[in-house]
Amino acid sequence: MNNKQLVLDAIMNKQTERAPWVPFVGCHAASLLENVTAEMFFKDSDLIVEGVKKAVDLYRPDGIPVLFDLQLEAEALGCKLRYAKDNPPSVVTHPLEDGVKLEQLKIPTVNDGRFKLVMESAKRLCEELGNDIAMYGLITGPYTLALHLMGTEIFYEMIDDPDHVMEVLDFCKDVCIACADMYIDAGCDIIAVVDPMTSQISPDSFEEFVLPYAVEIFDHIRTRNRLSSLFVCGDAKKNIEVMSRCKCDNISIDENIPLEYVIDICKKRGVSVGGNIKLTVTMLFGSVQDNINDALNCMSIGGTKGYILSPGCDMPYATPVENVLAIAAVAHGEMPESIVSESALDGIVVELPDYKAEKKVIIDVITLDSASCAPCQYMMEAVKAACEGLSDKVAYVEHKIKDKESVVFMMKLGVSNIPTIVIDGQIKYISLVPSVKELRETILKAVELKK
Amino acid sequence: MTVQLVEMKNPCQSCIIVSDLMISLFEKIKPEYPDVDFIITIIEKPEEIRKIQGLEVEIFPAVLINDEQITCGNILHRRQLKSYIDIRR
C-alpha cells in the first residue's frame, strides 16, 4: 500500500497496516531552507514548493498540507496582515468592525491576495508529490474567518444581532467553498477546514452558528469527490459531539482534548480522527525521547483503524528537526537515528546472555520506559501477568532504551521497534501487545524447549 | 494599573489568532484608559512563566490585570475587558 492510500484509507475509517503520518508543516518548512524567513516563505511560490519538498524528504510523511496559513482568505478579503520572521502572519485589522459593509466584500478568486502564488504551489506540489503522498488543501473555517472579519464584536453580536452574524457566516461559507474548489482544481486529495476559533464557543452556539454552514461545506467537498477533515485547536472537548455531526470524514484535534474521548464520540458516527501530538511541550520544547513517547502514546490510543498521527496544529517555525525525525521514525516503525547513532554509543560494551546455557527462559522486553510510555506499560503488564507462578522457570527483564546500554542490547538482538518482546533471544512480539493467554502459551512452549 | 497579555514566542496559528484579537482590543480601548499600561510579554520557553507574577496556568495567550490572571486561551470581548478594568480602577 502506498503512503497516499494509507492516509485515504485512514480517513475513510478503514484498517491500515500502520497509522499514517501527516506532519502539519506550516511555516516550519521555511526554517528548513537556508536564510528563508516565514514572511519570505508565505509570499513566494517557489519557496513554498521547495520548503514542502524538503519537509517531505526529511520527514517521510504519508500526507502533507500545501500550506498552513489561516490568514490567506482574510488578507484577500481586506484584513491587513503583519508578517513575521519566524511566525505565520497576524491579522491586524477587521474590516467589518472598521465600518466596511458585508455587501462590499467579494468572494475571493485566484487573482486576489496571495491565492495565485499559493495555487501555483499547490498545483506543482500535487503534480510532483501527489502520486505518492496525500496532499491537503487547508482552508480557514467559516467561524474563524468571520472572527477575522468582525473581530471580537462577533461574540456579542451572536447575542444582540444573530441574524447579522449568520449573514456573515453564510458569506464565509461561500468563501470556504470557493477556496476548497481552488485547492481541488489544483489537485489536492483532502480538504481540511481549519476552524480553531470554534473552541471559544459553546456546543449550542456551534450548533446554531457553525453546524449548518459546515455541513454545506463538507457536502460540497463530497460532491467534488474529495475527502475532508475538520481541524480544531484549543479545549473543544465540549464541541466534539456536534463537530462529529458536520458530515466531515475526519476530525483533527490538538493536545487539549483526550484522544480516546474523541475516538469514542467520532466512532459512533463513522468519523475518523487525527492529531493530538503535543505541539509545544513535546515538539517545540521536548527531547527526542519525549517525542518518541508522545507518538507511541498517540499510536497506541489511535490504533490502526481511522487514526492519523499528526501534531495538534501547525508546527512552529523553530520546531527542532530531530524531534520531527524521531516521530517520523516511530511512525515508520523504526528507531530514531539520534538514538541508535554509532557515535552516541561508542565505547558501550554489552554482552547478550548465552540463552541456550541459561537454566531459565529469559524474556527481554525492550521499552522506552514502562513508567512513562503507555504501550510499553501494557506490554510489561502482560509479561508480568503471563509469567505469574513461573518464577522458577522464567525470568523477565525490562530494557529501557533511555539507557544507552539498552540501546546496544536492543541492536545486538536485532530489535528495531519498541516495545518488543524477545524470548530466549528470539523476537516474538513487535509493537503489538499480545493477550496474557497467548503470551503465556508462547512462554510455556519456550519452557518445554528448555527441557 | 497594568493590563498584560502573555503569549508564546512561537505559538500555533490558533494562539496567534487569539493573541491578535486581544492586541487589537488593547489598541482599541487604550485611548479610553490613559492611566492604564497595556503590556505585551512574549515568553520563549514555558520555564519563563515563573518570572511572570500572577500567571497560573500554562495556556496562552493569558491576560493579567495588576498581576491577577483574568483569562487564558480565551478571547475577551471589549465589554468584558473594560468591565474587568473598570471594577479594579
Side-chain angles (χ1 to χ4, degrees):
Chain A
M1 186 184 293
N2 83 1
N3 306 55
K4 176 175 173 165
Q5 196 58 44
L6 211 56
V7 177
L8 302 181
D9 283 353
I11 288 200
M12 291 187 286
N13 247 322
K14 292 182 185 168
Q15 183 69 44
T16 50
E17 62 200 33
R18 62 177 170 83
W21 154 234
V22 181
F24 298 147
V25 178
C27 68
H28 172 71
S31 76
L32 304 174
L33 305 174
E34 250 178 75
N35 302 319
V36 173
T37 63
E39 177 169 7
M40 291 158 68
F41 177 79
F42 283 112
K43 290 179 173 176
D44 188 315
S45 178
D46 290 337
L47 291 177
I48 293 172
V49 171
E50 210 182 317
V52 172
K53 282 168 71 179
K54 179 89 181 185
V56 169
D57 284 346
L58 278 171
Y59 303 143
R60 297 176 291 151
D62 302 300
I64 200 160
V66 169
L67 192 69
F68 206 129
D69 179 356
L70 301 186
Q71 287 63 238
L72 182 65
E73 294 90 340
E75 185 182 39
L77 286 164
C79 295
K80 288 207 172 84
L81 302 192
R82 182 179 49 237
Y83 285 87
K85 271 197 321 193
D86 54 3
N87 272 323
S90 303
V91 169
V92 290
T93 62
H94 311 285
L96 298 180
E97 195 182 46
D98 300 335
V100 175
K101 300 282 177 219
L102 181 62
E103 304 75 56
Q104 294 173 263
L105 299 180
K106 286 190 313 176
I107 308 288
T109 69
V110 78
N111 295 316
D112 295 308
R114 283 176 291 130
F115 273 109
K116 188 171 252 171
L117 74 92
V118 172
M119 292 309 146
E120 269 172 27
S121 317
K123 199 162 181 273
R124 282 169 60 192
L125 285 167
C126 290
E127 279 168 6
E128 292 183 43
L129 305 170
N131 282 336
D132 302 319
I133 63 173
M135 299 304 300
Y136 280 63
L138 267 54
I139 61 174
T140 310
Y143 191 78
T144 299
L145 184 56
L147 200 51
H148 279 324
L149 296 174
M150 294 181 72
T152 56
E153 287 304 313
I154 193 172
F155 297 117
Y156 273 79
E157 288 212 22
M158 283 163 68
I159 300 162
D160 296 343
D161 192 357
D163 289 344
H164 174 59
V165 175
M166 286 186 189
E167 280 173 30
V168 175
L169 282 160
D170 193 54
F171 171 79
C172 292
K173 175 258 302 174
D174 290 339
V175 175
C176 289
I177 288 174
C179 296
D181 280 341
M182 284 192 233
Y183 275 115
I184 291 169
D185 292 342
C188 287
D189 306 291
I190 296 150
I191 300 299
V193 177
V194 190
D195 217 346
M197 292 302 106
T198 56
S199 63
Q200 302 282 330
I201 59 174
S202 69
D204 286 347
S205 296
F206 190 108
E207 181 123 21
E208 187 178 357
F209 292 99
V210 183
L211 182 68
Y213 308 104
V215 166
E216 269 196 65
I217 296 164
F218 290 117
D219 275 344
H220 177 79
I221 296 167
R222 195 164 289 107
T223 63
R224 298 281 324 257
N225 293 318
R226 293 297 191 278
L227 295 172
S228 61
S229 182
L230 174 56
F231 288 12
V232 68
C233 302
D235 185 2
K237 187 178 173 187
K238 57 191 181 294
N239 289 340
I240 294 297
E241 196 280 327
V242 60
M243 281 172 66
S244 73
R245 288 190 271 126
C246 285
K247 294 196 182 173
C248 52
D249 297 300
N250 173 272
I251 286 177
S252 193
I253 54 152
D254 74 6
E255 64 265 36
N256 285 290
I257 315 174
L259 183 56
E260 54 272 41
Y261 174 83
V262 181
I263 290 171
D264 200 36
I265 302 279
C266 290
K267 203 181 265 178
K268 292 173 192 157
R269 295 195 182 271
V271 176
S272 60
V273 172
N276 207 231
I277 300 176
K278 297 182 187 74
L279 206 61
T280 308
V281 177
T282 301
M283 291 191 77
L284 184 59
F285 297 122
S287 64
V288 164
Q289 282 182 347
D290 292 334
N291 280 270
I292 298 169
N293 200 1
D294 205 348
L296 281 171
N297 278 328
C298 287
M299 288 162 70
S300 157
I301 298 165
T304 52
K305 191 166 181 276
Y307 174 67
I308 293 173
L309 180 70
S310 53
C313 196
D314 62 320
M315 288 152 52
Y317 181 89
T319 305
V321 170
E322 62 269 25
N323 285 354
V324 194
L325 288 174
I327 298 173
V330 171
H332 285 277
E334 304 156 1
M335 281 310 301
E337 210 170 292
S338 55
I339 284 192
V340 295
S341 72
E342 283 178 17
S343 58
L345 303 172
D346 268 357
I348 297 169
V349 181
V350 175
E351 291 298 327
L352 292 181
D354 182 355
Y355 292 106
K356 278 188 182 162
E358 293 285 342
K359 284 182 184 164
K360 289 183 180 180
V361 168
I362 297 184
I363 302 175
D364 296 298
V365 190
I366 317 296
T367 69
L368 181 66
D369 182 349
S370 62
S372 58
C373 160
C376 305
Q377 182 198 340
Y378 301 145
M379 193 170 264
M380 275 313 295
E381 281 171 2
V383 170
K384 279 178 200 167
C387 291
E388 228 172 74
L390 300 174
S391 59
D392 55 331
K393 301 181 186 76
V394 179
Y396 61 84
V397 190
E398 180 181 1
H399 301 274
K400 302 172 185 176
I401 61 145
K402 282 179 171 179
D403 308 321
K404 288 180 177 175
E405 288 75 12
S406 295
V407 176
V408 176
F409 191 90
M410 176 188 90
M411 290 166 77
K412 284 199 163 184
L413 282 171
V415 172
S416 55
N417 302 72
I418 49 170
T420 290
I421 298 175
V422 182
I423 300 178
D424 270 349
Q426 302 295 310
I427 297 170
K428 292 289 184 188
Y429 298 99
I430 303 168
S431 296
L432 292 172
V433 181
S435 69
V436 173
K437 186 172 173 271
E438 182 193 340
L439 180 57
R440 190 170 173 93
E441 282 169 9
T442 309
I443 293 167
L444 289 173
K445 275 184 198 161
V447 171
E448 280 301 308
L449 283 173
K450 279 270 179 208
K451 286 180 181 171
Chain B
M1 177 179 264
T2 58
V3 178
Q4 185 180 16
L5 176 81
V6 183
E7 60 172 333
M8 293 293 293
K9 188 184 173 211
N10 281 128
C12 70
Q13 295 208 29
S14 173
C15 298
I16 288 179
I17 295 171
V18 177
S19 290
D20 290 345
L21 288 161
M22 293 314 303
I23 293 166
S24 303
L25 182 54
F26 280 15
E27 291 302 319
K28 281 208 166 66
I29 67 168
K30 245 184 201 174
E32 296 174 53
Y33 297 95
D35 55 330
V36 174
D37 289 326
F38 289 88
I39 304 166
I40 296 163
T41 306
I42 296 170
I43 60 171
E44 286 199 24
K45 293 195 168 183
E47 300 91 88
E48 292 173 20
I49 63 169
R50 291 189 206 114
K51 295 178 195 162
I52 298 163
Q53 204 176 340
L55 190 63
E56 293 168 351
V57 186
E58 287 179 42
I59 297 175
F60 299 102
V63 176
L64 294 89
I65 300 179
N66 283 346
D67 300 334
E68 181 195 349
Q69 187 161 323
I70 301 302
T71 183
C72 62
N74 289 320
I75 303 166
L76 286 173
H77 184 265
R78 180 203 294 245
R79 287 187 234 173
Q80 282 176 303
L81 182 57
K82 285 176 70 173
S83 310
Y84 280 128
I85 296 170
D86 290 341
I87 56 171
R88 284 169 177 77
R89 278 173 111 189

